[in-house]
Amino acid sequence: MAKILFVMTGVDYWTLADGSKHPTGYWAEEFVAPYEAFTKAGHEIVVATPGAVVPAIDRGSLAPEANGGAAGAARIAEILDAASELAKPVDLASVDLGEFDAVYYPGGHGPMEDLAVDPVSGKLLNDALASGKPLGVVCHAPAALLATADAEGSSPFAGYRVTGFTNAEETQAGFADKAKWLLQDRLEALGVDFRVGEPWAPHIEVDRNLYTGQNPASSAPLAAELLRAL
């Protein structure tokens, strides 16, 4: 049995370019699909957030239209209610990477607010990459890679094949003209080899021990790849 660290956002908002706060958090499917895959395989999950804050869910990710209908939405909500790990996160600053076999970052707009500028998360990501342990990051969670840069702006992730929520998807979601910055732009500026798939279709990239997914639909295929690695 492996022990997998889920690093999650600790905020329930995303500050837009006009200064307003858009209610958000983590995206349900991006937690649930890997959670189900890992726990069904017998693995242990530990949730960590900055300050051990209980992670907030993006309410939009619970809507029927985000889950293939009312039955899908009800199923997602049921799994979240039963996931006791969400109610008792550990403080990200207390995490010992040596205790874990893999690391996974679910998305939602929340990581754009906190993990993108969190030095503790940035160091954990750099250490996880160097360790060779499977490291999975999906959708908006690659924003956390921005915190891996040093004072000169250099990141160990530069040159890695990476995907994440694209400019096209942010435009179609209605936020591209409201955001302070776009994830794809910032990741390209960081020096990663950003790969773009069809909007909203499953798309993952695997480069060495780094596993990234483009959007919510990519979370289940990403989890399957991480399971194979484990």
Side-chain angles (χ1 to χ4, degrees):
M1 184 178 76
K3 192 174 181 181
I4 304 169
L5 179 69
F6 274 43
V7 180
M8 301 180 67
T9 181
V11 299
D12 60 2
Y13 65 91
W14 174 37
T15 306
L16 302 178
D18 65 0
S20 64
K21 292 183 176 181
H22 172 67
T24 186
Y26 70 91
W27 195 260
E29 182 180 0
E30 296 166 29
F31 174 86
V32 168
Y35 178 84
E36 268 202 303
F38 298 150
T39 54
K40 282 183 177 178
H43 302 310
E44 178 185 356
I45 289 170
V46 174
V47 171
T49 63
V53 173
V54 174
I57 191 163
D58 187 314
R59 306 305 298 182
S61 68
L62 295 175
E65 55 267 28
N67 295 288
R75 178 179 167 277
I76 287 273
E78 183 178 349
I79 294 167
L80 290 171
D81 287 343
S84 59
E85 297 88 348
L86 283 170
K88 51 182 184 188
V90 302
D91 188 347
L92 185 58
S94 72
V95 166
D96 176 2
L97 180 63
E99 296 180 1
F100 296 92
D101 301 291
V103 178
Y104 172 68
Y105 278 65
H109 278 111
M112 301 271 282
E113 184 74 26
D114 62 350
L115 299 181
V117 293
D118 190 311
V120 175
S121 172
K123 183 179 187 305
L124 177 71
L125 284 165
N126 287 341
D127 291 348
L129 190 71
S131 75
K133 297 177 181 183
L135 171 60
V137 195
V138 72
C139 200
H140 286 95
L145 301 185
L146 301 176
T148 67
D150 61 20
E152 285 73 46
S154 299
S155 167
F157 288 84
Y160 274 74
R161 278 195 329 278
V162 170
T163 189
F165 206 66
T166 64
N167 288 355
E169 286 167 321
E170 204 71 87
T171 299
Q172 292 175 21
F175 287 107
D177 60 348
K178 300 175 183 176
K180 289 182 178 179
W181 47 270
L182 297 180
L183 180 60
Q184 179 180 339
D185 292 347
R186 289 289 297 275
L187 288 174
E188 288 173 347
L190 188 68
V192 306
D193 179 9
F194 192 90
R195 301 294 180 93
V196 175
E198 286 297 314
W200 313 108
H203 172 219
I204 62 173
E205 292 289 340
V206 180
D207 190 345
R208 288 155 279 184
N209 63 315
L210 179 62
Y211 298 72
T212 54
Q214 180 172 314
N215 45 38
S218 306
S219 53
L222 186 70
E225 286 294 329
L226 289 168
L227 276 176
R228 276 192 279 273
L230 288 168

